[in-house]
Amino acid sequence: MAVARVVREFPDELEADFLEFFNMDLLDLWRGRLSLRRIGVLIQSLMSKPGRSTLLMAMDERAKWTERDYMLARVSDALELSNYFFLKANVDESDAGDLEIPPPITRPGAPEPQPEAPGEFSDARELTEFIGKLTA
């Protein structure tokens, strides 16, 4: 039974969450005041609390962040990349070589990202020729 496995493998985390979210003592299971079915229902409730449930964080490191945290990291990464491209396009070519692509924010449970080298950028002449071919 999955409930028994969770109780056996994560007793401390489960006890902490039961006290925090439900004001219940896990020891009530052994006292006969709490059934495995009810524990299963409460565990299902804990699964919907990423970023808050100690049990969920112990089971899956990615649950340390809420959905909002992941969205904010994505927005932040996009803004950093947008700033990089703006600066790359608007600084002298001698200074543009010093700019590095900003690394994305590391997410919980994800491997450390390895920055990729950017491809070659076209110069103004090549861009003008390309756009001229499109409009011709």
Side-chain angles (χ1 to χ4, degrees):
M1 176 176 248
V3 174
R5 183 182 64 79
V6 171
V7 171
R8 187 174 46 252
E9 291 182 18
F10 305 101
D12 295 338
E13 293 86 355
L14 192 58
E15 183 176 7
D17 281 351
F18 272 28
L19 287 172
E20 180 178 350
F21 294 110
F22 311 118
N23 199 25
M24 297 178 81
D25 190 354
L26 185 59
L27 290 176
D28 285 345
L29 175 64
W30 288 272
R31 294 177 186 136
R33 293 184 234 154
L34 191 59
S35 68
L36 283 176
R37 187 199 70 76
R38 173 160 286 173
I39 289 176
V41 170
L42 296 175
I43 288 173
Q44 287 300 319
S45 175
L46 291 173
M47 294 297 131
S48 66
K49 297 176 179 11
R52 298 178 7 217
S53 170
T54 308
L55 173 66
L56 194 53
M57 288 182 222
M59 294 173 81
D60 185 358
E61 189 178 345
R62 295 172 297 175
K64 289 183 178 178
W65 279 13
T66 63
E67 188 173 323
R68 179 179 295 147
D69 295 330
Y70 281 102
M71 292 298 292
L72 285 171
R74 187 170 179 200
V75 168
S76 176
D77 290 344
L79 184 59
E80 288 288 328
L81 194 58
S82 174
N83 288 340
Y84 165 78
F85 284 126
F86 176 81
L87 289 173
K88 191 81 171 172
N90 291 299
V91 298
D92 291 335
E93 288 187 29
S94 61
D95 295 332
D98 297 338
L99 294 175
E100 295 181 12
I101 293 180
I105 295 173
T106 304
R107 275 64 166 175
E112 188 71 31
Q114 300 299 323
E116 295 181 20
E120 295 256 340
F121 287 100
S122 298
D123 61 15
R125 183 189 52 76
E126 292 173 331
L127 186 58
T128 304
E129 288 176 7
F130 176 74
I131 292 174
K133 289 178 186 177
L134 289 176
T135 57

